[in-house]
Amino acid sequence: MFEKDYFSKKRLCLITDRKLSKRSLIDSIKEVVSAGVDMVQLREKDISTKEYFELARQIKIICKEYSALFIINSRVDIALTSEADGIHLGWKSLPFHIVRQLLGKEKIIGISTHSKNEAFSAQEKGADYITLGPVFSTASKNGLIEPLGCDNFSKIIKNITSPVFAIGGIKENNKENIIRAGASGIAVISAILQSDNIRETVKKMKSEIDLNKL
C-alpha cells in the first residue's frame, strides 16, 4: 500500500469526459499534464474496449512524459493492458481484494466514497487513496446523492488516514473552501475541460492548492 506521503505532491486530478472537452481529449490531456495536473483518471464509459485501450495507450505515454499518474476507472483489463499506474473503483466495480490480486501490490487502487461509513470501509480495505463526494451540487449526481458540503467533508476526513481527494461540483468559485477543509487533493472534470484557457486554469488551481498547503 502507498503511504500518504506518496500523494503529498500529487494533489490535482483530472477525470476525463471527452463529451465535455472543448477540443480532442488527447489535446486536452497534453495541455493539462504539461501545465501541472498530477493525476489523470480515464473514465469513458460508452466506447468500445478497443477504443478504450487505444485511448489509454496514448494517454499513458503523455502522462509518463510529464511524470503524472495515470489511473483507469473501473476497467481492470484496460489497466493491465495499458500498463496504467493503477485503477479507480466504484460501486459497480470488482471487489477490492480481487482487483488487488489481479494488479499486484505495486499498482495504485483508489475507491469512490460518498459517506463516512464508505470512507472508513475503503480505508479498511486498504485503498491507496479515496475520493469523497460530491462535496458540492453536480449534474452527474443530481437527485441521486446529496452534496456533503465542506463542513461534513471536513468532519468525515478527520479520522481517515488514507489520502482523500474531494470531488463533485468543484469550480473556480468554491475550490478554495474545500482546499481549506483539509482535502489531500481535488478531482475535477468540467472546471478544467470546459475552461477557455486550460493552462491558466490548471496553474491557478495548483497555485491555490500549494498556497493553502494541503
Side-chain angles (χ1 to χ4, degrees):
M1 180 177 171
F2 290 78
E3 299 297 329
K4 189 166 185 175
D5 285 350
Y6 181 80
F7 287 93
S8 64
K9 292 184 179 180
K10 293 174 172 57
R11 298 167 171 169
L12 180 56
C13 173
L14 171 71
I15 300 175
T16 73
D17 185 337
R18 71 192 191 286
K19 294 178 181 177
L20 293 179
S21 182
K22 289 190 173 183
R23 63 205 77 186
S24 77
L25 186 58
I26 292 298
D27 286 343
S28 292
I29 297 298
K30 286 179 181 177
E31 191 157 7
V32 300
V33 295
S34 65
V37 160
D38 304 298
M39 184 161 68
V40 175
Q41 182 190 138
L42 179 60
R43 184 174 71 179
E44 301 293 334
K45 299 181 179 181
D46 58 349
I47 58 177
S48 70
T49 296
K50 182 179 180 181
E51 291 173 309
Y52 210 144
F53 167 72
E54 182 56 29
L55 198 55
R57 186 189 65 79
Q58 293 179 66
I59 297 173
K60 168 63 178 178
I61 292 171
I62 297 168
C63 287
K64 185 176 181 180
E65 180 180 355
Y66 292 95
S67 299
L69 291 176
F70 178 47
I71 305 295
I72 297 291
N73 184 278
S74 194
R75 293 287 299 269
V76 178
D77 56 337
I78 302 297
L80 284 168
T81 54
S82 68
E83 298 183 348
D85 297 302
I87 194 167
H88 189 86
L89 304 178
W91 67 279
K92 290 184 178 181
S93 303
L94 288 170
F96 179 92
H97 70 282
I98 297 296
V99 176
R100 179 57 80 196
Q101 289 175 13
L102 292 170
L103 294 186
K105 295 180 180 180
E106 299 306 313
K107 296 293 185 180
I108 296 167
I109 303 180
I111 298 180
S112 291
T113 69
H114 309 94
S115 66
K116 179 180 178 179
N117 288 342
E118 288 182 4
F120 273 98
S121 175
Q123 179 172 269
E124 287 297 310
K125 290 174 182 176
D128 297 307
Y129 74 90
I130 295 165
T131 60
L132 176 62
V135 179
F136 306 109
S137 179
T138 175
S140 64
K141 302 295 182 182
N142 191 28
L144 299 174
I145 304 173
E146 285 296 314
L148 294 171
C150 290
D151 288 344
N152 283 333
F153 180 92
S154 184
K155 289 175 184 177
I156 290 172
I157 68 171
K158 279 184 178 178
N159 296 309
I160 299 293
T161 57
S162 298
V164 182
F165 282 69
I167 189 171
I170 300 173
K171 306 288 185 183
E172 282 290 320
N173 63 350
N174 61 27
K175 64 182 183 301
E176 186 175 348
N177 293 333
I178 193 59
I179 289 169
R180 290 179 174 176
S184 302
I186 58 175
V188 298
I189 305 175
S190 61
I192 289 178
L193 291 180
Q194 293 196 316
S195 171
D196 291 327
N197 191 327
I198 286 179
R199 183 170 295 276
E200 286 305 311
T201 297
V202 170
K203 287 184 176 180
K204 188 175 181 181
M205 284 186 171
K206 289 278 289 184
S207 176
E208 208 160 287
I209 289 170
D210 291 339
L211 181 65
N212 285 280
K213 297 180 180 179
L214 283 178

